[in-house]
């Protein structure tokens, strides 16, 4: 059981509960060493793209449903009593690796797609190819029940900002604010 909890408020006033599992679950679980992709890995799949769509998953980890066995270990004590988590929680040390693995497995084999945690970049070498790639991604998201945060999604653009880079048909350029 998590000993404490915290709530963080995002820019849009959403509340995100975070269990403090460092003395409980995080000590007991084996580290998940699934690596996050490097920028080189991500951007190699985008070579040749001229049209881009950037998608953002709403509440990231919290969209992954836990199995019944895991739920019993992710209970937090709140001022209103015990709260059993039904979804992967922020505060779990393995959450990043688990989430990245699930996202890569979901989109494996789809052309023109780069995934870094809850940020998905889709491209195409033509409008038709982009739209086909985007339909495939949206279909996968729909089938898996994952939801997007609409206001953070940007569709059919000649360039996008992604992971500190400007991505366009001209290639990658590091953003000035990232260099500083």
């Amino acid at each position: 059981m998590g000993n404490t909890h915290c709530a963080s408020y995002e820019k849009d006033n959403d509340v995100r509960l975070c269990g403090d599992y460092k003395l409980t679950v995080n000590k007991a679980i084996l580290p998940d060493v699934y690596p996050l992709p490097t920028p080189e890995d991500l951007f190699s799949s985008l070579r040749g793209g001229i049209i881009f769509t950037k998608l953002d998953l709403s509440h990231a980890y919290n969209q992954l449903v836990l199995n019944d066995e895991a739920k019993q270990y992710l209970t937090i004590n709140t001022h209103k009593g015990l709260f059993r988590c039904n979804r992967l929680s922020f505060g779990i040390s393995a959450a990043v690796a688990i989430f990245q693995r699930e996202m890569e497995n979901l989109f494996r084999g789809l052309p023109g797609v780069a995934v870094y945690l809850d940020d998905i970049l889709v491209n195409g070498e033509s409008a038709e190819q982009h739209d086909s790639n985007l339909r495939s991604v949206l279909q996968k998201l729909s089938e898996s029940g994952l939801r997007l945060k609409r206001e953070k999604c940007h569709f059919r653009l000649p360039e996008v900002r992604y992971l500190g880079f400007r991505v366009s048909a001209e290639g990658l350029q590091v953003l000035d604010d990232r260099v500083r």
Side-chain angles (χ1 to χ4, degrees), residues 1-2 39 54 56 58 75 85 87 98 102 111 124 130-131 156 161 171:
M1 179 183 325
K54 187 169 82 169
D56 188 79
S58 178
T75 300
C85 298
R87 297 175 179 272
I98 291 168
E102 291 299 315
H130 166 272
D131 293 350
R156 298 188 96 220
R161 297 175 71 136

Side-chain angles (χ1 to χ4, degrees), residues 133-156:
N133 294 347
L134 180 58
R135 273 192 298 277
S136 296
V137 168
L138 295 174
Q139 181 67 36
K140 289 277 188 185
L141 289 169
S142 178
E143 290 169 359
S144 64
L146 294 174
R147 299 170 73 147
L148 297 169
K149 187 171 222 166
R150 174 64 174 109
E151 59 273 9
K152 290 181 76 178
C153 295
H154 306 281
F155 297 89
R156 298 188 96 220

Side-chain angles (χ1 to χ4, degrees), residues 13 21 43 60 66 75 81 99 107 141 152 169 173 176:
N13 293 324
Y21 299 104
F43 295 126
L66 297 170
T75 300
F99 191 77
F107 299 113
L141 289 169
K152 290 181 76 178
Q173 290 146 357
D176 290 339

Side-chain angles (χ1 to χ4, degrees), residues 1-6 18-29 73-76 89-94:
M1 179 183 325
N3 291 333
T4 60
H5 72 284
C6 67
C18 304
D20 182 0
Y21 299 104
K22 68 179 162 263
L23 297 175
T24 57
V25 174
N26 286 343
K27 280 186 146 189
I29 60 176
Y73 297 109
L74 301 183
T75 300
I76 58 175
S89 299
F90 294 93
I92 299 298
S93 60

Side-chain angles (χ1 to χ4, degrees), residues 30-143:
L30 295 173
D32 193 326
V33 293
Y34 193 83
L36 289 176
T38 64
E40 293 80 18
D41 294 335
L42 288 170
F43 295 126
S44 68
S45 66
L46 302 174
R47 195 169 290 122
I50 63 167
I51 299 175
F52 303 88
T53 290
K54 187 169 82 169
L55 304 173
D56 188 79
L57 291 173
S58 178
H59 298 98
Y61 313 154
N62 292 146
Q63 292 199 56
L64 296 185
V65 177
L66 297 170
N67 63 31
D68 289 336
E69 183 181 2
K71 289 178 189 179
Q72 68 182 327
Y73 297 109
L74 301 183
T75 300
I76 58 175
N77 191 6
T78 74
H79 67 286
K80 292 191 173 193
L82 297 179
F83 176 80
R84 180 171 284 180
C85 298
N86 291 320
R87 297 175 179 272
L88 186 59
S89 299
F90 294 93
I92 299 298
S93 60
V96 171
I98 291 168
F99 191 77
Q100 183 67 33
R101 179 185 302 108
E102 291 299 315
M103 293 303 99
E104 286 183 16
N105 286 339
L106 181 64
F107 299 113
R108 180 163 283 124
L110 294 184
V113 180
V115 180
Y116 190 87
L117 299 172
D118 63 339
D119 293 316
I120 304 164
L121 189 58
V122 181
N123 82 338
E125 295 178 15
S126 67
E128 295 77 21
Q129 184 185 52
H130 166 272
D131 293 350
S132 175
N133 294 347
L134 180 58
R135 273 192 298 277
S136 296
V137 168
L138 295 174
Q139 181 67 36
K140 289 277 188 185
L141 289 169
S142 178
E143 290 169 359

